Amino acid sequence: MRLIGLELTRLRWRRAVVVLLGGCVLVGAVILGGTAWDTRPVSASELAAAEELVEQEMGRRYMQRQLAECEERPRRFGVSDAEQCVAAIAPQVDWYVSRQPLQLWVAMRAQGVGLVTVLMGLLMLVGTTFVGADWSSGSMSNQLLFEPRRARIWLSKAGAVLGLALLASTAVLAAFWGGMALLARMRGIDVPPEVPGMIAAASGRAVLLVGAAAVGAYAVTMLSRSTVFTLGAMFAVVVGATVVMALLGVSEAWFPNKNLGAVLWNGTQYYVEPPPSCFDRGRPEPGVDCSGLRDLSLATGARNLGVLLLATCAASLWSFRRRDVP
């Protein structure tokens, strides 16, 4: 614990780490503010302007002509009688002022995922820049003079990165969803009783994912001894891994995004090619699933990601214990 506390102090004094943590807070605030603005109620001036636009459109000749034609032959316009013509083809006030009201569950699937993704990226940068600076400056050898047991050094740094990632992601997500809940209460929006529990569970799993990702970035940097290599590996995984795996015919059950989604959402689905019998002219045999969708459970996704993380950490620790430190 003493070494972990020491590494946390070193983390706190890294300017790059402070900037990245500030970025986490800023991103959460920006997404919260953007959500509040995009879902704001329609003001009286906006409503009056929309009603004026509707009146202008209703007064145009082509609209009057269409309404007259609809009243004569309503079925040609998809309505059963002339009284429905105005509602069917005339402009409505909602067309000009429509905004989706705030819904926490919808926000979780949109803004919440965006926030978790950014937090994961920034805290992975924390993990790689923290130890990458030790390798580039040559201070790693000095640290081994005070603590020659390399496994303890590796584990203490990993513990510091993990602790900071868990603490930072928990604080930002708690502040974000607390602000969202306060916003919903101020606007008098009723939240279904099951939604807060779902958000809390998903946020808890997101915190664990962020912590694991930060430790994984740290382990890769300890293995490669290069921040640039780790950044390139992160870019390759995010951009190219799915494409390459798809070209190689690897099942979607192994795609990183699918496994991350399975952990975050307590299970997800992936696509597989249906059997040939599904494309025959006759009906497929009973029991054959032609939907092409398969379930990927939380346990399976966590297992796949956990095996990858453990393998990376094991290789990194073995390399740090065996290779010479300049």
Side-chain angles (χ1 to χ4, degrees):
M1 294 300 295
R2 181 183 63 84
L3 285 177
I4 294 178
L6 178 63
E7 295 296 339
L8 284 172
T9 301
R10 295 180 64 248
L11 261 173
R12 182 168 57 89
W13 285 103
R14 295 279 179 157
R15 292 181 181 178
V17 171
V18 174
V19 171
L20 289 170
L21 292 178
C24 293
V25 176
L26 179 61
V27 168
V30 169
I31 294 178
L32 176 61
T35 304
W37 176 258
D38 291 338
T39 59
R40 67 191 187 281
V42 178
S43 64
S45 60
E46 290 177 318
L47 184 60
E51 292 174 347
E52 183 178 353
L53 287 173
V54 170
E55 291 180 1
Q56 293 176 359
E57 290 295 321
M58 289 293 294
R60 298 184 184 277
R61 291 184 177 180
Y62 79 90
M63 182 58 63
Q64 295 297 325
R65 185 167 56 252
Q66 284 188 344
L67 287 174
E69 292 177 0
C70 179
E71 291 174 355
E72 293 179 3
R73 299 180 179 86
R75 295 189 179 277
R76 291 181 57 184
F77 290 82
V79 295
S80 58
D81 55 66
E83 295 180 357
Q84 300 176 355
C85 288
V86 174
I89 65 175
Q92 307 295 321
V93 174
D94 292 344
W95 295 4
Y96 302 97
V97 294
S98 63
R99 274 197 293 269
Q100 292 294 329
L102 178 64
Q103 295 179 305
L104 294 188
W105 179 247
V106 174
M108 180 183 172
R109 290 279 181 171
Q111 291 87 348
V113 172
L115 178 57
V116 170
T117 302
V118 175
L119 287 177
M120 185 177 295
L122 291 177
L123 290 170
M124 288 176 72
L125 289 177
V126 168
T128 186
T129 55
F130 167 57
V131 70
D134 290 341
W135 286 111
S136 62
S137 65
S139 66
M140 189 67 72
S141 58
N142 295 332
Q143 296 176 39
L144 291 174
L145 294 176
F146 295 93
E147 177 52 72
R149 290 170 290 186
R150 297 191 180 189
R152 294 191 65 183
I153 291 289
W154 194 98
L155 292 172
S156 63
K157 291 180 180 294
V161 170
L162 176 62
L164 181 64
L166 295 178
L167 179 62
S169 57
T170 299
V172 173
L173 287 174
F176 175 79
W177 288 114
M180 294 287 283
L182 179 61
L183 186 63
R185 179 177 298 181
M186 292 173 58
R187 294 178 178 177
I189 298 175
D190 294 330
V191 179
E194 69 274 8
V195 169
M198 293 179 179
I199 292 177
S203 298
R205 293 190 295 269
V207 167
L208 295 178
L209 282 175
V210 171
V215 172
Y218 157 80
V220 172
T221 308
M222 288 291 285
L223 178 63
S224 65
R225 303 185 177 185
S226 171
T227 301
V228 176
F229 177 87
T230 305
L231 294 177
M234 290 167 55
F235 179 81
V237 170
V238 172
V239 176
T242 301
V243 176
V244 172
M245 294 175 74
L247 292 175
L248 294 176
V250 179
S251 171
E252 287 189 6
W254 297 100
F255 285 13
N257 61 322
K258 291 295 183 179
N259 286 276
L260 289 171
V263 175
L264 184 59
W265 302 119
N266 192 22
T268 187
Q269 291 183 320
Y270 64 96
Y271 179 79
V272 296
E273 190 69 23
S277 59
C278 295
F279 301 100
D280 295 339
R281 292 185 177 180
R283 291 185 177 182
E285 299 178 359
V288 176
D289 185 4
C290 294
S291 66
L293 296 177
R294 299 291 185 271
D295 292 328
L296 184 62
S297 66
L298 167 62
T300 303
R303 181 201 64 193
N304 295 341
L305 295 174
V307 169
L308 179 61
L309 178 62
L310 288 176
T312 303
C313 290
S316 176
L317 180 57
W318 178 88
S319 173
F320 183 59
R321 296 182 64 183
R322 297 294 182 180
R323 293 169 62 186
D324 291 336
V325 176

